[in-house]
Each structure stands twice: as structure tokens, then as C-alpha cells.
Amino acid sequence: MVCIVIALGGSLLRPEVDDRHAWLEELIIIVRDRVSAGDRIGLVIGGGAPAREGIGLAQPLIDDVHHLDKIGIAATRLNATIVREALSDAGISVSGTIPHRVDEAVQLLESRPVVVMGGTTPGHTTDTVAIRFAIATSANRCIIATNVGKVYSADPRNNSNADAFDKLTHDELQEIVGPDKHTRAGGSSVVDPVGVGEANRANMTLNILDGRETNLIKAALEGNDFKGTTIITEEN
Ligand code: UTP
């Protein structure tokens, strides 16, 4: 049995994604196919637009990062609810609740093939939740579906000479994203540095890909080429 956890960046649900309804419909078909094939899937949904909006509104009034994080978490749970309801409505056997903790999610995945969740506690992003969920279920790998195709040596929007990588070690990725500390609510690097540190210590393989392309999510779930960046430890 294959068990895979996917972090779906909340930006994938944003209006600027070409056709977000088509995207959701394609996601539902992919999940349904993998469930039919016998896979177990954890979906961890990011906060996207509502997180940005909520944190932006509160930021001038609230200094404490962890208090702002709670607003971000509420947004991730809203987005997780949208995805959970859509999957359930399509007849997929998804857990009935959005767990608040990873251990709860692990338990739910024992009785249902699909569990959808958002954030848990302040101090990290949903990437880290997905990585913890993957580690706790001894998942085969953790997919990080974001809105860039690969990990680059620098932000490609500001640096046209940035190199794109097919493969990196956890240490190399940590160098790129920075030390494994949570410094600001809503802060976006390609993968949460806190999660990279945890994946490194647990030797969890990460597949980072462009989640706007649902065929790449499908390819990664099936173990095929997903045209993104694979993060593995050196011995592998
Ligand atoms: P996201 O997981 O969406 O993070 O959580 P992000 O990197 O800002 O956005 P994406 O990846 O582009 O979607 C939104 C915010 O909610 C808080 C953090 O402040 C995070 O930046 N959060 C989320 C937590 O504090 N804990 C969690 O478990 C999840």
C-alpha cells in the first residue's frame, strides 16, 4: 500500500489560477483514481488568499507572530473545508472532520483512505504539517505542490540567472530556504524551512512541483516524472 501526503499551497485556490474550478475537478479525479488503486492520501491545504487578507488586516495591530499565525491557521482550515466538502460531494471516502493535530490525522487515515487538514499550531506553515503527517504515517514521500516549477538557487522573479534544480539534498535545500526557524506569519519561501529541517532529520523524501499543473500532481502520486525537484539524502 502506498501512503502519500501532499501539501497543496493555498495559492492554488486563488482567483489568478487560470481556472480554479477545473483545477479542483481535476484534483478530485486524481484523488478518486488513487483511492481506487488502493493508496492512502493525506491532503494538507494552505491558507492562500484568505490567510494573506486576514494577516494583512491584523498586522498593523498585532506584533506577536504566533497571534498572526492563528489567523493564518483559520484560513488554512477554511480552505481545507472547501477541499474536503468537494471530495465528499464527489463520493470519495474522505474523513468527516478536519483534524486539528497530526496524531488525530494519522488516526483518521487508518479508517479512511483520504484525510484533509489545514494548519495545526503556530510556528510553521502547512508544508511542515504535511511533512510531520508524512513522517508520522511513514509515508512513501511527501509532495509539496506549490506555484513554481522547481527549486531555484535564488528567486527567479528577481534573478534571471537563478539555476533550477532537478535534485537536491535536504542540506542543500536548507541552505537555499534558510535556517529552520519561523520568523514571520504568512512568510513564503518555496518550502517552509522548519519542515525542511524535520524532513532532513527523518530522512523523508520531498517532491516539490508546480501544483497548478494537475498532471504533475498525478505523475508524482504515481511515482512518475513530475518535472520538479526531488529532495533526498545523499546516501540515496
Ligand atoms: P500556509 O501554509 O498557507 O503558508 O499558512 P504560506 O507559506 O504563508 O503560504 P503558501 O504556502 O503560499 O500557501 C499560512 C500561514 O498560517 C500560519 C503561518 O503564519 C503561515 O504563514 N500557520 C499555518 C501556522 O502558524 N501553523 C500552521 O500549522 C499552518
Side-chain angles (χ1 to χ4, degrees), residues 51-84:
R52 211 145 302 179
E53 164 66 15
I55 291 169
L57 178 61
Q59 218 148 25
L61 316 172
I62 300 176
D63 287 331
D64 189 315
V65 176
H66 283 191
H67 295 169
L68 292 170
D69 283 344
K70 288 186 192 170
I71 298 169
I73 293 168
T76 65
R77 293 184 59 82
L78 167 67
N79 283 342
T81 304
I82 295 166
V83 173
R84 199 215 77 81

mmCIF file of all heavy atoms in Angstrom, residues 51-84:
data_model
loop_
_atom_site.group_PDB
_atom_site.id
_atom_site.type_symbol
_atom_site.label_atom_id
_atom_site.label_comp_id
_atom_site.label_asym_id
_atom_site.label_seq_id
_atom_site.Cartn_x
_atom_site.Cartn_y
_atom_site.Cartn_z
ATOM 1 N N ALA A 51 -5.637 33.801 4.007
ATOM 2 C CA ALA A 51 -4.563 33.971 5.000
ATOM 3 C C ALA A 51 -3.898 35.327 4.792
ATOM 4 O O ALA A 51 -3.690 36.101 5.743
ATOM 5 C CB ALA A 51 -3.530 32.851 4.874
ATOM 6 N N ARG A 52 -3.588 35.620 3.541
ATOM 7 C CA ARG A 52 -2.932 36.894 3.233
ATOM 8 C C ARG A 52 -3.820 38.063 3.652
ATOM 9 O O ARG A 52 -3.375 39.022 4.269
ATOM 10 C CB ARG A 52 -2.671 36.948 1.720
ATOM 11 C CG ARG A 52 -1.444 37.725 1.360
ATOM 12 C CD ARG A 52 -0.750 37.118 0.170
ATOM 13 N NE ARG A 52 -0.389 35.725 0.439
ATOM 14 C CZ ARG A 52 0.208 34.931 -0.435
ATOM 15 N NH1 ARG A 52 0.494 35.379 -1.623
ATOM 16 N NH2 ARG A 52 0.521 33.688 -0.115
ATOM 17 N N GLU A 53 -5.104 37.965 3.321
ATOM 18 C CA GLU A 53 -6.061 39.026 3.637
ATOM 19 C C GLU A 53 -6.173 39.211 5.165
ATOM 20 O O GLU A 53 -6.071 40.320 5.681
ATOM 21 C CB GLU A 53 -7.426 38.656 3.018
ATOM 22 C CG GLU A 53 -8.641 39.417 3.521
ATOM 23 C CD GLU A 53 -8.615 40.895 3.157
ATOM 24 O OE1 GLU A 53 -7.817 41.284 2.290
ATOM 25 O OE2 GLU A 53 -9.391 41.656 3.775
ATOM 26 N N GLY A 54 -6.371 38.101 5.874
ATOM 27 C CA GLY A 54 -6.571 38.176 7.331
ATOM 28 C C GLY A 54 -5.331 38.671 8.050
ATOM 29 O O GLY A 54 -5.406 39.552 8.920
ATOM 30 N N ILE A 55 -4.168 38.124 7.676
ATOM 31 C CA ILE A 55 -2.922 38.536 8.336
ATOM 32 C C ILE A 55 -2.637 40.006 7.998
ATOM 33 O O ILE A 55 -2.268 40.798 8.864
ATOM 34 C CB ILE A 55 -1.744 37.606 7.926
ATOM 35 C CG1 ILE A 55 -1.955 36.203 8.518
ATOM 36 C CG2 ILE A 55 -0.400 38.175 8.389
ATOM 37 C CD1 ILE A 55 -1.011 35.128 7.990
ATOM 38 N N GLY A 56 -2.892 40.392 6.744
ATOM 39 C CA GLY A 56 -2.657 41.785 6.321
ATOM 40 C C GLY A 56 -3.520 42.764 7.104
ATOM 41 O O GLY A 56 -3.070 43.842 7.488
ATOM 42 N N LEU A 57 -4.755 42.374 7.359
ATOM 43 C CA LEU A 57 -5.671 43.248 8.097
ATOM 44 C C LEU A 57 -5.210 43.434 9.543
ATOM 45 O O LEU A 57 -5.242 44.529 10.102
ATOM 46 C CB LEU A 57 -7.092 42.647 8.062
ATOM 47 C CG LEU A 57 -8.192 43.382 8.826
ATOM 48 C CD1 LEU A 57 -8.387 44.788 8.274
ATOM 49 C CD2 LEU A 57 -9.506 42.613 8.730
ATOM 50 N N ALA A 58 -4.738 42.332 10.158
ATOM 51 C CA ALA A 58 -4.396 42.371 11.586
ATOM 52 C C ALA A 58 -2.974 42.866 11.846
ATOM 53 O O ALA A 58 -2.677 43.362 12.942
ATOM 54 C CB ALA A 58 -4.564 40.974 12.179
ATOM 55 N N GLN A 59 -2.094 42.759 10.842
ATOM 56 C CA GLN A 59 -0.664 43.028 11.042
ATOM 57 C C GLN A 59 -0.325 44.372 11.701
ATOM 58 O O GLN A 59 0.516 44.409 12.604
ATOM 59 C CB GLN A 59 0.064 42.916 9.704
ATOM 60 C CG GLN A 59 1.423 42.273 9.850
ATOM 61 C CD GLN A 59 1.778 41.468 8.609
ATOM 62 O OE1 GLN A 59 1.278 41.737 7.511
ATOM 63 N NE2 GLN A 59 2.634 40.500 8.776
ATOM 64 N N PRO A 60 -0.986 45.470 11.305
ATOM 65 C CA PRO A 60 -0.622 46.734 11.944
ATOM 66 C C PRO A 60 -0.991 46.785 13.432
ATOM 67 O O PRO A 60 -0.488 47.626 14.174
ATOM 68 C CB PRO A 60 -1.436 47.779 11.162
ATOM 69 C CG PRO A 60 -1.891 47.101 9.923
ATOM 70 C CD PRO A 60 -1.989 45.650 10.244
ATOM 71 N N LEU A 61 -1.899 45.892 13.855
ATOM 72 C CA LEU A 61 -2.390 45.930 15.238
ATOM 73 C C LEU A 61 -1.733 44.892 16.132
ATOM 74 O O LEU A 61 -1.779 45.000 17.354
ATOM 75 C CB LEU A 61 -3.912 45.675 15.260
ATOM 76 C CG LEU A 61 -4.767 46.403 14.222
ATOM 77 C CD1 LEU A 61 -6.189 45.891 14.263
ATOM 78 C CD2 LEU A 61 -4.724 47.902 14.512
ATOM 79 N N ILE A 62 -1.166 43.853 15.544
ATOM 80 C CA ILE A 62 -0.674 42.712 16.326
ATOM 81 C C ILE A 62 0.804 42.487 16.028
ATOM 82 O O ILE A 62 1.181 42.292 14.874
ATOM 83 C CB ILE A 62 -1.483 41.428 15.976
ATOM 84 C CG1 ILE A 62 -2.971 41.623 16.294
ATOM 85 C CG2 ILE A 62 -0.929 40.212 16.693
ATOM 86 C CD1 ILE A 62 -3.863 40.458 15.899
ATOM 87 N N ASP A 63 1.637 42.511 17.085
ATOM 88 C CA ASP A 63 3.078 42.309 16.885
ATOM 89 C C ASP A 63 3.473 40.848 16.983
ATOM 90 O O ASP A 63 4.400 40.404 16.324
ATOM 91 C CB ASP A 63 3.869 43.094 17.956
ATOM 92 C CG ASP A 63 3.817 44.584 17.668
ATOM 93 O OD1 ASP A 63 3.701 44.934 16.478
ATOM 94 O OD2 ASP A 63 3.857 45.379 18.637
ATOM 95 N N ASP A 64 2.783 40.124 17.852
ATOM 96 C CA ASP A 64 3.190 38.755 18.153
ATOM 97 C C ASP A 64 2.960 37.840 16.944
ATOM 98 O O ASP A 64 1.824 37.662 16.489
ATOM 99 C CB ASP A 64 2.361 38.267 19.358
ATOM 100 C CG ASP A 64 2.864 36.937 19.880
ATOM 101 O OD1 ASP A 64 3.124 36.038 19.051
ATOM 102 O OD2 ASP A 64 2.985 36.794 21.112
ATOM 103 N N VAL A 65 4.058 37.264 16.431
ATOM 104 C CA VAL A 65 3.966 36.412 15.230
ATOM 105 C C VAL A 65 2.997 35.262 15.449
ATOM 106 O O VAL A 65 2.217 34.905 14.556
ATOM 107 C CB VAL A 65 5.366 35.845 14.860
ATOM 108 C CG1 VAL A 65 5.271 34.873 13.687
ATOM 109 C CG2 VAL A 65 6.320 36.962 14.507
ATOM 110 N N HIS A 66 3.039 34.665 16.643
ATOM 111 C CA HIS A 66 2.176 33.497 16.884
ATOM 112 C C HIS A 66 0.695 33.864 16.890
ATOM 113 O O HIS A 66 -0.153 33.054 16.533
ATOM 114 C CB HIS A 66 2.579 32.787 18.186
ATOM 115 C CG HIS A 66 3.816 31.954 18.007
ATOM 116 N ND1 HIS A 66 4.251 31.057 18.947
ATOM 117 C CD2 HIS A 66 4.692 31.874 16.985
ATOM 118 C CE1 HIS A 66 5.353 30.465 18.498
ATOM 119 N NE2 HIS A 66 5.646 30.952 17.313
ATOM 120 N N HIS A 67 0.384 35.093 17.269
ATOM 121 C CA HIS A 67 -1.019 35.527 17.227
ATOM 122 C C HIS A 67 -1.464 35.687 15.771
ATOM 123 O O HIS A 67 -2.579 35.309 15.405
ATOM 124 C CB HIS A 67 -1.210 36.833 18.011
ATOM 125 C CG HIS A 67 -0.956 36.658 19.480
ATOM 126 N ND1 HIS A 67 -0.846 37.715 20.343
ATOM 127 C CD2 HIS A 67 -0.792 35.545 20.225
ATOM 128 C CE1 HIS A 67 -0.618 37.264 21.566
ATOM 129 N NE2 HIS A 67 -0.570 35.938 21.512
ATOM 130 N N LEU A 68 -0.580 36.221 14.930
ATOM 131 C CA LEU A 68 -0.897 36.331 13.497
ATOM 132 C C LEU A 68 -0.987 34.942 12.866
ATOM 133 O O LEU A 68 -1.825 34.691 11.991
ATOM 134 C CB LEU A 68 0.171 37.164 12.779
ATOM 135 C CG LEU A 68 0.211 38.656 13.139
ATOM 136 C CD1 LEU A 68 1.462 39.315 12.563
ATOM 137 C CD2 LEU A 68 -1.047 39.370 12.632
ATOM 138 N N ASP A 69 -0.121 34.035 13.330
ATOM 139 C CA ASP A 69 -0.151 32.650 12.823
ATOM 140 C C ASP A 69 -1.545 32.036 12.996
ATOM 141 O O ASP A 69 -2.016 31.292 12.134
ATOM 142 C CB ASP A 69 0.856 31.774 13.579
ATOM 143 C CG ASP A 69 2.301 31.985 13.133
ATOM 144 O OD1 ASP A 69 2.518 32.567 12.054
ATOM 145 O OD2 ASP A 69 3.209 31.555 13.872
ATOM 146 N N LYS A 70 -2.198 32.369 14.119
ATOM 147 C CA LYS A 70 -3.526 31.772 14.387
ATOM 148 C C LYS A 70 -4.537 32.200 13.319
ATOM 149 O O LYS A 70 -5.450 31.450 12.980
ATOM 150 C CB LYS A 70 -4.030 32.181 15.772
ATOM 151 C CG LYS A 70 -3.260 31.497 16.888
ATOM 152 C CD LYS A 70 -3.894 31.829 18.219
ATOM 153 C CE LYS A 70 -2.990 31.410 19.353
ATOM 154 N NZ LYS A 70 -3.470 31.918 20.643
ATOM 155 N N ILE A 71 -4.376 33.425 12.811
ATOM 156 C CA ILE A 71 -5.258 33.893 11.732
ATOM 157 C C ILE A 71 -4.973 33.089 10.467
ATOM 158 O O ILE A 71 -5.892 32.636 9.774
ATOM 159 C CB ILE A 71 -5.047 35.413 11.494
ATOM 160 C CG1 ILE A 71 -5.428 36.180 12.767
ATOM 161 C CG2 ILE A 71 -5.815 35.901 10.270
ATOM 162 C CD1 ILE A 71 -5.016 37.647 12.765
ATOM 163 N N GLY A 72 -3.691 32.862 10.208
ATOM 164 C CA GLY A 72 -3.304 32.029 9.060
ATOM 165 C C GLY A 72 -3.874 30.623 9.180
ATOM 166 O O GLY A 72 -4.391 30.058 8.203
ATOM 167 N N ILE A 73 -3.821 30.058 10.375
ATOM 168 C CA ILE A 73 -4.326 28.687 10.590
ATOM 169 C C ILE A 73 -5.828 28.626 10.292
ATOM 170 O O ILE A 73 -6.310 27.685 9.651
ATOM 171 C CB ILE A 73 -4.028 28.219 12.041
ATOM 172 C CG1 ILE A 73 -2.514 28.055 12.240
ATOM 173 C CG2 ILE A 73 -4.752 26.902 12.352
ATOM 174 C CD1 ILE A 73 -2.079 27.885 13.696
ATOM 175 N N ALA A 74 -6.564 29.658 10.749
ATOM 176 C CA ALA A 74 -8.017 29.682 10.490
ATOM 177 C C ALA A 74 -8.278 29.664 8.981
ATOM 178 O O ALA A 74 -9.192 28.981 8.503
ATOM 179 C CB ALA A 74 -8.637 30.929 11.133
ATOM 180 N N ALA A 75 -7.450 30.390 8.214
ATOM 181 C CA ALA A 75 -7.618 30.422 6.750
ATOM 182 C C ALA A 75 -7.317 29.052 6.142
ATOM 183 O O ALA A 75 -8.016 28.605 5.224
ATOM 184 C CB ALA A 75 -6.706 31.492 6.149
ATOM 185 N N THR A 76 -6.299 28.371 6.647
ATOM 186 C CA THR A 76 -5.977 27.037 6.097
ATOM 187 C C THR A 76 -7.133 26.073 6.350
ATOM 188 O O THR A 76 -7.446 25.231 5.513
ATOM 189 C CB THR A 76 -4.687 26.445 6.706
ATOM 190 O OG1 THR A 76 -4.875 26.192 8.104
ATOM 191 C CG2 THR A 76 -3.486 27.345 6.505
ATOM 192 N N ARG A 77 -7.782 26.225 7.498
ATOM 193 C CA ARG A 77 -8.899 25.328 7.835
ATOM 194 C C ARG A 77 -10.131 25.638 6.961
ATOM 195 O O ARG A 77 -10.889 24.736 6.613
ATOM 196 C CB ARG A 77 -9.238 25.408 9.327
ATOM 197 C CG ARG A 77 -8.114 24.836 10.207
ATOM 198 C CD ARG A 77 -8.474 24.821 11.684
ATOM 199 N NE ARG A 77 -9.672 24.037 11.942
ATOM 200 C CZ ARG A 77 -9.695 22.709 12.062
ATOM 201 N NH1 ARG A 77 -8.578 22.010 11.949
ATOM 202 N NH2 ARG A 77 -10.823 22.074 12.304
ATOM 203 N N LEU A 78 -10.283 26.912 6.612
ATOM 204 C CA LEU A 78 -11.359 27.276 5.672
ATOM 205 C C LEU A 78 -11.102 26.593 4.316
ATOM 206 O O LEU A 78 -11.991 25.937 3.756
ATOM 207 C CB LEU A 78 -11.399 28.807 5.498
ATOM 208 C CG LEU A 78 -12.247 29.322 4.336
ATOM 209 C CD1 LEU A 78 -13.735 29.043 4.578
ATOM 210 C CD2 LEU A 78 -12.020 30.818 4.106
ATOM 211 N N ASN A 79 -9.885 26.732 3.802
ATOM 212 C CA ASN A 79 -9.568 26.123 2.501
ATOM 213 C C ASN A 79 -9.657 24.598 2.565
ATOM 214 O O ASN A 79 -10.115 23.953 1.614
ATOM 215 C CB ASN A 79 -8.169 26.555 2.042
ATOM 216 C CG ASN A 79 -8.157 27.973 1.493
ATOM 217 O OD1 ASN A 79 -9.207 28.509 1.138
ATOM 218 N ND2 ASN A 79 -6.983 28.570 1.411
ATOM 219 N N ALA A 80 -9.234 24.027 3.696
ATOM 220 C CA ALA A 80 -9.318 22.558 3.850
ATOM 221 C C ALA A 80 -10.778 22.125 3.821
ATOM 222 O O ALA A 80 -11.118 21.074 3.250
ATOM 223 C CB ALA A 80 -8.655 22.129 5.160
ATOM 224 N N THR A 81 -11.644 22.935 4.406
ATOM 225 C CA THR A 81 -13.073 22.603 4.413
ATOM 226 C C THR A 81 -13.628 22.607 2.989
ATOM 227 O O THR A 81 -14.411 21.713 2.623
ATOM 228 C CB THR A 81 -13.859 23.609 5.298
ATOM 229 O OG1 THR A 81 -13.269 23.605 6.604
ATOM 230 C CG2 THR A 81 -15.333 23.248 5.398
ATOM 231 N N ILE A 82 -13.206 23.573 2.186
ATOM 232 C CA ILE A 82 -13.668 23.625 0.783
ATOM 233 C C ILE A 82 -13.255 22.343 0.058
ATOM 234 O O ILE A 82 -14.072 21.696 -0.603
ATOM 235 C CB ILE A 82 -13.084 24.875 0.071
ATOM 236 C CG1 ILE A 82 -13.642 26.153 0.700
ATOM 237 C CG2 ILE A 82 -13.355 24.825 -1.435
ATOM 238 C CD1 ILE A 82 -12.899 27.428 0.329
ATOM 239 N N VAL A 83 -11.998 21.949 0.220
ATOM 240 C CA VAL A 83 -11.498 20.751 -0.481
ATOM 241 C C VAL A 83 -12.181 19.494 0.077
ATOM 242 O O VAL A 83 -12.607 18.626 -0.690
ATOM 243 C CB VAL A 83 -9.954 20.652 -0.364
ATOM 244 C CG1 VAL A 83 -9.446 19.341 -0.935
ATOM 245 C CG2 VAL A 83 -9.301 21.838 -1.082
ATOM 246 N N ARG A 84 -12.327 19.421 1.408
ATOM 247 C CA ARG A 84 -12.972 18.239 1.995
ATOM 248 C C ARG A 84 -14.408 18.080 1.510
ATOM 249 O O ARG A 84 -14.838 16.980 1.134
ATOM 250 C CB ARG A 84 -12.963 18.320 3.537
ATOM 251 C CG ARG A 84 -13.175 16.979 4.226
ATOM 252 C CD ARG A 84 -13.981 17.067 5.518
ATOM 253 N NE ARG A 84 -15.396 17.228 5.232
ATOM 254 C CZ ARG A 84 -16.222 16.230 4.902
ATOM 255 N NH1 ARG A 84 -15.795 14.980 4.833
ATOM 256 N NH2 ARG A 84 -17.493 16.468 4.625
#
